[in-house]
């Protein structure tokens, strides 16, 4: 793979590739990561970015698949295919690949119904459960097969074990025998060349019959295989030969199985290492808080909240940057150590990362263009790799750039024209930028020259950008401001570093008036910009507060509506229950009265009638209580200053409303009270005398407070009861009329007045039509002059 060119190294792409390699799990994927190079084809870059973004999305949803440090088994499989026997450790490597393949297929099954840009890699992975299980059961470790590798191997090893046990038992008896112990160097059993022996003193070698296999280093001990175990040792040797043959047979079988699966292994390895790389890109993107930019090839770069990926994300200040859309060149100015070089490197490095198929640390809406060439001249004291360049070396690099830059080039120049006479350097810098513009290149350069700042202000297609400097703290903020050139702030920085103030003032006198005026203008522009930024930030803050308040008020309104509806629903349920109960009790009372009426000719009619009347009175009391279920007053027991009289003004404690006494209390303490247009029966315990508003009933005229919405107010009416249903719907109005008629009949009232108003006439017509067919209505008529005329209907009840 070709080496990274020097421009890419200057932009530190190699450091990004090293970070990527650290995310990879296998050595082969690490190697791929380090060998990545920027691609110059738009379609390829888009595909690679899409694959990385897909891996990122899958990791977020299902977690990153587990990748193991598997080996590249390509050469191993080729060796197996050639007919050679594979070592057990190579079979283990093949087994690891099969396990990894199985796991990735299981991972893919989580989104089997979806189509993704990396499906082709998952689909190129093949499982071989039979071979995987065979390898797992057959191999114990890198040097040994398991007993269960085959039935024959198990049989042979059992026999070897049994024979070994018998030999040990035989030799144990020998070394414990007193007649033999005196000839032994130690009472132990050992193995020499695969045969069981005992250590015998050299001087007693003829006293222990057997075969001598070895002598100790000192010569004092010989290792003798007693005659009694020679035949058994021979049997073990034969069995061990059979074991070796069976092991070779099993390895040969496993090798053949692996060779049969060679094409699938080649495919698996290729897919696994690529998937490892794409998911490693996704993991690195997650650590960088990176996203996928829009990819183009028109030379446009638009970065939103971009961060240099090699600087701590908690320390770097995000920047917004653009070049290539409206402006072909950007001239960045500002103080030293203000971040100008970092901005150059950020633009170049993020472009290279994108062309390598990697996500970049920017916000949504960012755009990166694919270039044929990225040409760089960056060399300053801030660079880790390079020392300060001379004017000559700078010019050599710039000449190279001028010779190759074209309309598909991004050119990054740091401190263009520096290192020589300022006037000549500035003039040279302007000419270089003009030539690069003519060649069609996109240009980003940094400078301190006033001439370049003026040039950018006056030239179409070139824009100034400045690294912000806080004049209060005399510290750079590392924010990039487009549209205004920046000051070098050399005097302020020197003063802060301890330079004598007189030297600073003397230096200012040496600056010509034109430069002074330009610097003053820049200073005023910067102050205005900062004031604007402050006002804008305050406006944004107020806007957020208003939005939050609006949302809170809306939430409270919704909660209030919900509470209101709950209360209304509860009240409706309770009212319906009361109506149902009252109706049921009323029906029972009517049924009982009908039954008594049928018995009027019987002897006990009078007795039954009296009892029924008593029950009726009690029932009516309950009906009144049910129909007006207002909680009991918590006031202490009240005593009237005098007995109630008709016409007395009273206060109804349950409602805190006013009323007028229409009838005196009966024996049970109930009396009728006129409250507005309604007359109701209330117990005197719920009444308080309103002594300040006493009226008599003589020639009583009950004033009704009638709305002037549709009908002119009637100042006086007869004592007949009135019902005001103006503003009601037809259904509500009919319901109130029926309820009012029922109450009037129970109260023995013969004439009532319905106030319905004139309005559109819909409610009036519906009420009069309903009254014509009402079984309790004897007659009805429209009101006459003084009664409300056509806005009321006077009803005579049966």
């Amino acid at each position: 793979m070709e080496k990274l060119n020097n421009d890419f190294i200057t932009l530190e792409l190699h450091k990004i590739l090293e970070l990527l390699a650290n995310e990879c799990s296998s050595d082969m994927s690490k190697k791929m990561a380090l060998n990545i190079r920027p691609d110059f084809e738009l379609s390829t870059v888009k595909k690679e970015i899409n694959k990385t973004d897909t891996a990122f999305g899958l990791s977020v949803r299902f977690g990153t698949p587990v990748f193991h440090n598997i080996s590249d088994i390509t050469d191993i499989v080729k060796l197996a295919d050639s007919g050679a026997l594979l070592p057990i450790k190579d079979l283990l490597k093949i087994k690891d690949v099969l396990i990894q393949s199985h796991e990735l297929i299981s991972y893919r099954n989580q989104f089997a119904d979806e189509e993704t840009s990396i499906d082709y890699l998952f689909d190129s992975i093949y499982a071989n459960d039979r071979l995987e299980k065979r390898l797992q059961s057959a191999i114990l470790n890198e040097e040994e097969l398991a007993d269960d590798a085959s039935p024959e191997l198990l049989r042979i090893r059992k026999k070897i074990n049994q024979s070994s046990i018998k030999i040990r038992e035989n030799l144990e008896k020998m070394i414990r025998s007193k007649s033999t112990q005196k000839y032994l160097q130690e009472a132990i059993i050992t193995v020499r060349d695969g045969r069981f022996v005992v250590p015998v003193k050299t001087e007693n070698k003829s006293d222990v019959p057997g075969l001598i296999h070895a002598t100790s280093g000192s010569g004092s001990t010989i290792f003798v295989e007693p005659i009694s175990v020679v035949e058994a040792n021979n049997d073990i040797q034969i069995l061990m030969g059979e074991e070796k043959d069976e092991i070779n047979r099993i390895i040969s079988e496993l090798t053949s199985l692996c060779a049969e699966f060679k094409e699938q292994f080649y495919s698996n390895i290729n897919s696994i290492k690529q998937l490892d790389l794409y998911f490693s890109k996704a993991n690195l993107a997650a650590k960088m808080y990176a996203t996928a930019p829009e990819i183009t090839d028109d030379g446009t770069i638009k970065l939103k909240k971009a961060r240099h990926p090699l600087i701590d994300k908690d320390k770097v200040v995000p920047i917004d940057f653009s070049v290539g859309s409206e402006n072909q060149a950007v001239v960045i100015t500002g103080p030293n150590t203000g971040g100008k070089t970092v901005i150059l490197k950020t633009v170049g490095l993020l472009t290279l990362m994108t062309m390598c198929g990697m996500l970049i640390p920017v916000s949504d809406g960012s755009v990166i263009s694919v270039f044929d060439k990225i040409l760089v001249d960056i060399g300053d004291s801030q660079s880790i790799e390079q020392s300060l360049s001379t004017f000559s070396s700078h010019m050599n690099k710039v000449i190279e750039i001028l010779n190759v830059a074209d309309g598909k080039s991004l050119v990054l120049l740091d401190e263009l024209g520096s290192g020589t006479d300022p006037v000549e350097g500035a003039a040279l810098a302007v000419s270089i930028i003009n030539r690069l513009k003519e060649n069609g290149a996109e240009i980003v350069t940094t400078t301190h020259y006033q001439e370049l700042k003026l040039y950018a202000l006056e030239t179409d297609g070139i824009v100034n950008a400045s690294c912000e400097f806080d004049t209060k703290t005399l510290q750079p903020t590392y924010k990039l401001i487009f549209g205004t050139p920046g000051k070098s702030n050399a005097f302020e920085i020197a003063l802060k570093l301890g330079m004598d103030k007189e030297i600073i003032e003397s230096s200012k006198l040496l600056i010509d008036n034109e430069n002074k005026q330009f610097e003053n203008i820049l200073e005023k522009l910067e102050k205005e910009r900062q004031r604007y930024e402050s006002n804008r930030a305050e406006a944004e803050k107020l806007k957020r507060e208003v939005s939050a308040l609006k949302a809170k008020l809306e939430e409270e309104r919704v909660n209030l509506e919900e509470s209101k509806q709950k209360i209304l629903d509860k009240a409706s349920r309770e009212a319906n229950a009361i109506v149902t109960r009252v109706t049921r009790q009323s029906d029972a009372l009517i049924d009982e009265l009908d039954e008594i009426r049928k018995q009027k000719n019987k002897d006990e009619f009078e007795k039954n009638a009296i009892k029924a009347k008593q029950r009726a009175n009690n029932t009516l009391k309950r009906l009144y209580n049910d129909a007006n279920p207002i909680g009991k007053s918590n006031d202490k027991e009240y005593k009237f200053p005098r007995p109630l009289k008709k016409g007395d003004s009273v206060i109804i404690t349950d409602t805190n409303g006013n009323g007028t006494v229409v009838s005196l209390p009966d024996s049970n303490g109930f009396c009728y009270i006129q409250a507005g247009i309604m007359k109701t029966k209330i117990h005197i315990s719920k009444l308080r005398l309103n002594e300040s508003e006493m009226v008599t009933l003589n020639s009583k005229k009950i004033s009704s407070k009638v709305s002037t919405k549709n009908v002119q107010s009637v100042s006086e009416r007869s004592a007949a009861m009135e019902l005001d249903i103006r503003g009601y719907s037809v259904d509500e109005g009919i319901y109130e009329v029926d309820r009012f008629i029922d109450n009037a009949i129970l109260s023995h009232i013969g004439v009532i007045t319905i106030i319905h108003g004139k309005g559109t006439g819909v409610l009036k017509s519906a009420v009069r039509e309903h009254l014509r067919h009402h079984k309790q209505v004897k007659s009805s008529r429209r009101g006459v002059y003084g009664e409300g005329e056509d806005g009321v209907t006077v009803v005579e009840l049966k």
Side-chain angles (χ1 to χ4, degrees):
M1 191 72 181
E2 65 175 328
K3 294 182 178 180
L4 281 175
N5 70 39
N6 290 333
D7 287 341
F8 297 170
I9 293 175
T10 299
L11 294 173
E12 300 174 303
L13 177 61
H14 60 292
K15 294 183 179 180
I16 297 296
L17 298 181
E18 288 171 3
L19 291 178
L20 177 59
N22 291 337
E23 296 294 326
C24 296
S25 300
S26 66
D27 293 337
M28 56 184 177
S29 299
K30 293 178 187 291
K31 184 177 179 181
M32 286 181 67
L34 293 173
N35 287 330
I36 290 176
R37 298 296 179 265
D39 200 288
F40 304 100
E41 287 292 330
L42 176 65
S43 59
T44 304
V45 173
K46 283 185 173 181
K47 288 178 182 177
E48 291 301 302
I49 287 291
N50 188 26
K51 292 175 188 177
T52 303
D53 200 33
T54 296
F56 184 88
L58 292 175
S59 295
V60 170
R61 294 169 58 197
F62 306 106
T64 303
V66 177
F67 288 94
H68 306 287
N69 186 14
I70 61 173
S71 301
D72 188 345
I73 61 171
T74 303
D75 291 338
I76 295 174
V77 175
K78 287 180 180 178
L79 185 63
D81 189 46
S82 69
L85 287 183
L86 294 179
I88 295 177
K89 64 178 182 179
D90 286 347
L91 291 173
L92 277 177
K93 292 177 181 178
I94 291 176
K95 182 196 73 171
D96 291 340
V97 171
L98 287 170
I99 292 173
Q100 177 74 83
S101 301
H102 187 91
E103 291 176 351
L104 288 174
I105 291 173
S106 298
Y107 181 85
R108 173 68 177 92
N109 290 335
Q110 296 180 96
F111 50 96
D113 297 334
E114 301 178 28
E115 290 186 6
T116 73
S117 59
I118 54 176
D119 284 349
Y120 74 98
L121 293 175
F122 283 107
D123 295 340
S124 299
I125 298 175
Y126 301 92
N128 190 329
D129 292 340
R130 184 171 69 89
L131 178 56
E132 181 184 340
K133 291 178 181 177
R134 184 80 177 92
L135 291 171
Q136 281 185 318
S137 62
I139 301 175
L140 194 63
N141 53 50
E142 289 188 354
E143 298 177 351
E144 186 178 5
L145 292 183
D147 294 344
D148 294 331
S150 75
E152 180 64 14
L153 183 62
L154 179 62
R155 184 191 67 78
I156 293 171
R157 286 182 173 175
K158 281 185 176 179
K159 277 193 171 184
I160 291 174
N161 188 49
Q162 291 169 356
S163 297
S164 298
I165 291 174
K166 287 181 181 179
I167 292 174
R168 283 184 175 277
E169 289 176 350
N170 193 336
L171 293 178
E172 286 285 345
K173 290 179 182 178
M174 179 182 292
I175 64 177
R176 285 198 299 269
S177 170
K178 291 183 179 180
S179 59
T180 306
Q181 276 184 351
K182 58 186 177 180
Y183 304 126
L184 301 177
Q185 193 72 260
E186 292 182 86
I188 61 172
I189 301 169
T190 184
V191 177
R192 285 289 186 275
D193 298 326
R195 304 179 76 87
F196 289 94
V197 296
V198 292
V200 179
K201 297 175 182 178
T202 301
E203 62 269 24
N204 299 115
K205 61 182 178 179
S206 59
D207 296 319
V208 180
L211 302 176
I212 298 174
H213 283 277
T215 304
S216 67
S218 63
S220 61
T221 304
I222 59 174
F223 296 95
V224 177
E225 178 185 357
I227 293 296
S228 60
V229 298
V230 169
E231 186 176 351
N233 268 331
N234 289 338
D235 291 340
I236 288 179
Q237 290 300 310
I238 294 171
L239 288 170
M240 291 176 68
E242 293 177 359
E243 179 189 31
K244 184 176 181 181
D245 291 341
E246 179 61 14
I247 288 173
N248 287 335
R249 187 196 68 77
I250 294 170
I251 290 176
S252 177
E253 174 196 343
L254 296 175
T255 301
S256 298
L257 290 173
C258 293
E260 291 175 8
F261 203 61
K262 62 178 181 179
E263 296 300 331
Q264 289 86 345
F265 278 128
Y266 297 151
S267 180
N268 285 7
I269 282 295
N270 181 61
S271 294
I272 290 170
K273 65 184 180 181
Q274 288 194 62
L275 284 172
D276 187 7
L277 182 61
Y278 285 124
F279 279 99
S280 296
K281 287 182 178 181
N283 289 340
L284 183 60
K287 292 181 178 180
M288 290 182 176
Y289 294 89
T291 59
E294 179 186 342
I295 314 297
T296 182
D297 62 353
D298 62 1
T300 298
I301 296 178
K302 186 180 294 182
L303 305 178
K304 294 185 176 181
K305 297 189 181 305
R307 291 174 283 107
H308 194 290
L310 297 177
I311 302 177
D312 187 341
K313 62 180 180 295
D314 295 325
K315 295 180 180 179
V316 66
V317 177
I319 62 167
D320 291 339
F321 178 89
S322 65
V323 68
S325 54
E326 298 178 357
N327 299 297
Q328 188 179 347
V330 177
V331 176
I332 304 175
T333 54
N336 289 324
T337 72
K340 299 190 300 298
T341 304
V342 171
I343 293 170
L344 280 184
K345 289 186 174 181
T346 300
V347 174
L349 183 55
L350 296 190
T351 302
L352 288 175
M353 287 176 63
T354 302
M355 294 169 65
C356 289
M358 302 173 69
L359 308 188
I360 56 176
V362 294
S363 294
D364 293 339
S366 297
V367 180
I368 291 288
S369 179
V370 175
F371 294 94
D372 288 347
K373 307 180 189 72
I374 298 179
L375 307 169
V376 179
D377 178 33
I378 298 176
D380 58 17
S381 58
Q382 297 175 54
S383 175
I384 297 174
E385 285 77 16
Q386 298 179 351
S387 61
L388 185 65
S389 299
T390 64
F391 176 75
S392 296
S393 62
H394 270 297
M395 283 301 104
N396 284 333
K397 182 64 179 177
V398 170
I399 291 169
E400 291 178 13
I401 291 173
L402 288 171
N403 289 334
V404 298
D406 56 21
K408 298 291 291 181
S409 301
L410 173 64
V411 179
L412 306 174
L413 303 172
D414 193 24
E415 299 295 347
L416 181 60
S418 63
T420 186
D421 177 77
V423 175
E424 294 179 354
L428 191 58
V430 170
S431 298
I432 290 170
I433 293 175
N434 278 333
R435 173 62 64 85
L436 291 172
K437 277 190 64 186
E438 292 172 1
N439 292 348
E442 309 298 334
I443 312 147
V444 185
T445 183
T446 66
T447 186
H448 285 288
Y449 291 146
Q450 301 283 27
E451 290 83 355
L452 258 67
K453 300 175 188 179
L454 286 169
Y455 168 69
L457 286 171
E458 297 170 348
T459 307
D460 291 337
I462 303 180
V463 64
N464 273 302
S466 59
C467 292
E468 188 180 55
F469 185 82
D470 191 332
T471 55
K472 294 181 180 178
T473 62
L474 296 180
Q475 291 287 340
T477 65
Y478 301 103
K479 292 181 181 178
L480 184 63
I481 311 299
F482 264 77
T484 59
K487 292 179 62 182
S488 296
N489 294 290
F491 294 151
E492 289 84 353
I493 294 173
L495 186 63
K496 183 188 177 186
L497 294 174
M499 181 71 72
D500 191 309
K501 190 173 182 180
E502 290 184 2
I503 296 176
I504 300 296
E505 294 301 325
S506 177
S507 300
K508 289 181 179 181
L509 294 175
L510 298 176
I511 300 176
D512 59 49
N513 289 331
E514 186 176 338
N515 281 333
K516 284 182 181 178
Q517 291 174 359
F518 185 73
E519 287 293 325
N520 290 336
I521 291 172
L522 290 183
E523 188 173 352
K524 290 179 180 178
L525 284 174
E526 178 61 16
K527 288 181 179 178
E528 285 298 314
R529 186 197 63 77
Q530 291 180 358
R531 188 170 64 84
Y532 165 77
E533 288 291 333
S534 176
N535 291 339
R536 186 181 64 82
E538 182 65 24
E540 287 293 331
K541 178 183 176 184
L542 293 174
K543 182 179 178 181
R544 289 193 299 269
E545 290 176 354
V546 168
S547 297
L549 181 59
K550 182 179 178 182
K552 183 178 180 181
L553 290 175
E554 177 63 19
E555 181 182 0
E556 290 179 354
R557 186 192 68 78
V558 171
N559 292 337
L560 184 61
E561 286 292 332
E562 291 177 354
S563 300
K564 174 184 174 183
Q565 190 59 44
K566 288 178 182 179
I567 293 171
L568 290 174
D569 290 344
K570 181 179 178 182
S572 178
R573 289 193 298 271
E574 293 177 352
N576 288 334
I578 291 170
V579 170
T580 301
R581 188 163 61 252
V582 170
T583 301
R584 186 169 58 250
Q585 293 174 353
S586 299
D587 291 343
L589 179 59
I590 292 171
D591 291 343
E592 186 176 359
L593 292 174
D594 286 343
E595 183 63 29
I596 292 173
R597 189 165 54 251
K598 293 176 183 178
Q599 298 175 0
K600 64 181 180 179
N601 295 326
K602 295 182 179 180
D603 294 338
E604 296 184 355
F605 170 72
E606 184 176 353
K607 184 188 299 182
N608 290 338
I610 293 171
K611 292 181 179 178
K613 184 177 181 181
Q614 292 175 348
R615 287 196 298 274
N617 287 334
N618 292 332
T619 300
L620 284 172
K621 292 174 185 176
R622 290 196 299 273
L623 292 177
Y624 279 118
N625 289 333
D626 286 344
N628 189 25
I630 301 175
K632 294 181 180 180
S633 173
N634 293 326
D635 294 343
K636 296 180 180 179
E637 184 176 353
Y638 174 78
K639 292 184 179 180
F640 284 93
R642 59 172 176 77
L644 284 178
K645 299 177 181 180
K646 291 182 180 181
D648 279 346
S649 177
V650 293
I651 298 173
I652 305 170
T653 60
D654 287 338
T655 64
N656 204 31
N658 294 325
T660 303
V661 177
V662 176
S663 67
L664 295 178
D666 60 15
S667 58
N668 293 315
F670 285 91
C671 62
Y672 285 100
I673 301 298
Q674 185 77 36
I677 63 172
M678 297 294 294
K679 183 167 71 173
T680 184
K681 193 173 184 180
I682 301 177
H683 195 272
I684 60 173
S685 63
K686 298 182 182 294
L687 301 176
R688 302 290 183 267
L689 188 63
N690 190 353
E691 299 182 54
S692 62
E693 297 185 13
M694 294 183 188
V695 296
T696 61
L697 194 62
N698 295 331
S699 303
K700 181 177 69 71
K701 302 291 182 180
I702 302 175
S703 298
S704 301
K705 295 182 180 178
V706 182
S707 170
T708 61
K709 181 167 56 174
N710 294 315
V711 180
Q712 185 177 2
S713 179
V714 180
S715 59
E716 292 184 20
R717 292 196 182 277
S718 64
M721 290 189 66
E722 298 174 343
L723 171 66
D724 190 346
I725 58 171
R726 288 174 293 178
Y728 283 53
S729 66
V730 170
D731 291 340
E732 292 172 338
I734 296 299
Y735 173 79
E736 290 296 329
V737 167
D738 286 344
R739 191 169 65 85
F740 195 71
I741 290 174
D742 291 341
N743 287 337
I745 291 174
L746 288 173
S747 302
H748 307 292
I749 296 174
V751 179
I752 62 174
T753 301
I754 310 297
I755 305 173
H756 42 63
K758 299 176 183 178
T760 62
V762 175
L763 181 59
K764 174 185 70 177
S765 300
V767 168
R768 289 178 177 174
E769 179 64 25
H770 181 69
L771 292 173
R772 276 198 290 273
H773 302 286
H774 199 290
K775 63 181 181 179
Q776 300 294 344
V777 174
K778 184 175 181 181
S779 65
S780 63
R781 63 175 176 80
R782 67 187 293 275
V784 297
Y785 180 77
E787 290 180 323
E789 302 177 17
D790 201 31
V792 303
T793 298
V794 180
V795 183
E796 184 180 0
L797 302 176
K798 294 180 180 179

